[in-house]
Amino acid sequence: MNPKLAIEKLYKIYYSMQCKSVFLFKSDVEDHREMSGHDDMRVQPLR
């Protein structure tokens, strides 16, 4: 399978401790870190 076409499964919620933003996808967390400089993320597993 082409890695660019891989589907990311939702197992976690990412929460920025600095600005209180919430993310479902790790790629969005990485983009947020690059743009805002916020590194302090809390991860909550979904049950």
Side-chain angles (χ1 to χ4, degrees):
M1 177 181 236
N2 184 341
K4 292 188 180 227
L5 299 177
I7 297 172
E8 185 177 354
K9 295 187 180 188
L10 301 178
Y11 292 116
K12 303 174 185 173
I13 294 175
Y14 301 90
Y15 180 78
S16 173
M17 297 301 293
Q18 291 156 312
C19 70
K20 312 299 187 226
S21 294
V22 177
F23 305 96
L24 295 176
F25 301 102
K26 189 171 184 176
S27 59
D28 291 337
V29 171
E30 292 167 1
D31 290 343
H32 179 70
R33 282 183 175 145
E34 286 180 20
M35 293 188 306
S36 69
H38 297 166
D39 288 328
D40 190 13
M41 293 284 176
R42 179 174 287 167
V43 179
Q44 178 69 39
L46 295 174
R47 296 178 189 194

